[in-house]
C-alpha cells in the first residue's frame, strides 16, 4: 500500500506531514470511526462498496458529520468534487470547498495528497485508513489523526 512523507510549504504556512495509507480493518479502528466502518461494511453486503442511496447520516455521530467530506468521482477527465463539506472542516481548513474540485484545495500539496488517496481507493476498491502526522513548525508538537476513505458505488 502507500506510505508517503511530505514537506509542504505554501505562501501562508510551512506544513510537514507523514502519511500512512493501509486497508481499513475493524481491529485497527477505535470509537466512532470503528462504528462508522462497521455501519459502512454492513451496508455493502458482498459488494466492494455500498450504494450511496443506502447510506444515512442518521447513523453517523454528529462530530464525524461535522468533520466529514464527501467527493464525487468525475471520470473524464478524472477529478474529485466535494459534494459535502462539514461545518467542522470549514473552521479547521479555513473555507468551504463544497462544489469545488479537490484540485482547488490549498495548499496544493495537500490537494495532491488527497488525490493520491482517492485514486488509491478507486484502484484498490476498498476502504482505506489514513493516518497522518502533521506539524506546522519544527518546534510544534505533532498532531496525529486517523481518518477513513470509504468508497460508495452503484457498480
Amino acid at each position: 500500500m502507500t506510505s508517503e512523507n511530505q514537506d509542504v510549504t505554501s505562501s501562508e504556512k510551512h506544513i510537514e506531514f507523514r502519511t500512512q495509507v493501509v486497508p481499513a480493518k475493524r481491529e485497527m479502528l477505535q470509537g466512532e470511526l470503528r462504528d462508522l466502518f462497521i455501519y459502512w461494511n454492513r451496508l455493502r453486503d458482498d459488494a466492494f462498496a455500498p450504494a450511496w442511496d443506502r447510506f444515512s447520516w442518521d447513523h453517523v455521530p454528529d462530530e464525524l458529520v461535522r468533520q466529514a467530506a464527501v467527493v464525487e468521482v468525475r471520470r473524464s477527465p478524472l477529478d474529485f468534487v466535494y459534494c459535502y463539506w462539514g461545518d467542522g472542516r470549514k473552521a479547521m481548513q479555513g473555507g468551504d470547498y463544497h462544489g469545488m474540485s479537490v484540485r482547488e484545495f490549498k495548499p496544493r500539496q495537500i490537494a495532491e495528497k488527497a488525490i493520491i488517496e482517492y485514486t488509491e481507493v478507486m484502484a484498490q476498491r476498498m476502504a482505506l485508513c489514513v493516518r497522518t502526522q502533521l506539524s506546522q513548525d519544527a518546534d510544534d508538537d505533532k498532531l496525529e489523526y486517523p481518518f477513513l476513505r470509504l468508497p460508495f458505488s452503484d457498480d
Side-chain angles (χ1 to χ4, degrees), residues 48-116:
F48 87 92
W52 179 248
D53 64 6
R54 294 190 64 201
F55 179 80
S56 171
W57 288 107
D58 294 339
H59 294 278
V60 181
D62 289 343
E63 187 55 30
L64 287 183
V65 172
R66 287 180 33 72
Q67 298 302 325
V70 178
V71 297
E72 178 184 332
V73 177
R74 306 269 171 94
R75 299 205 182 256
S76 187
L78 182 63
D79 198 5
F80 305 93
V81 175
Y82 290 109
C83 56
Y84 177 81
W85 188 262
D87 289 339
R89 283 187 167 269
K90 290 176 190 174
M92 179 178 64
Q93 295 179 311
D96 185 355
Y97 285 86
H98 179 265
M100 297 173 71
S101 168
V102 172
R103 298 176 195 288
E104 298 175 73
F105 192 87
K106 302 294 182 212
R108 179 181 52 80
Q109 292 87 345
I110 292 179
E112 291 169 357
K113 171 189 170 303
I115 290 167
I116 290 167

Side-chain angles (χ1 to χ4, degrees), residues 3-18:
S3 184
E4 58 187 77
N5 295 316
Q6 296 280 334
D7 183 9
V8 179
T9 305
S10 74
S11 59
E12 302 127 32
K13 56 187 166 187
H14 178 82
I15 300 172
E16 293 179 15
F17 60 90
R18 179 185 180 111

Side-chain angles (χ1 to χ4, degrees), residues 87-142:
D87 289 339
R89 283 187 167 269
K90 290 176 190 174
M92 179 178 64
Q93 295 179 311
D96 185 355
Y97 285 86
H98 179 265
M100 297 173 71
S101 168
V102 172
R103 298 176 195 288
E104 298 175 73
F105 192 87
K106 302 294 182 212
R108 179 181 52 80
Q109 292 87 345
I110 292 179
E112 291 169 357
K113 171 189 170 303
I115 290 167
I116 290 167
E117 293 165 9
Y118 295 146
T119 303
E120 189 75 12
V121 168
M122 290 176 58
Q124 297 295 324
R125 296 177 60 92
M126 67 175 61
L128 298 179
C129 180
V130 179
R131 295 188 187 281
T132 299
Q133 188 179 69
L134 171 85
S135 66
Q136 293 188 352
D137 292 308
D139 297 334
D140 281 353
D141 290 333
K142 289 183 173 39

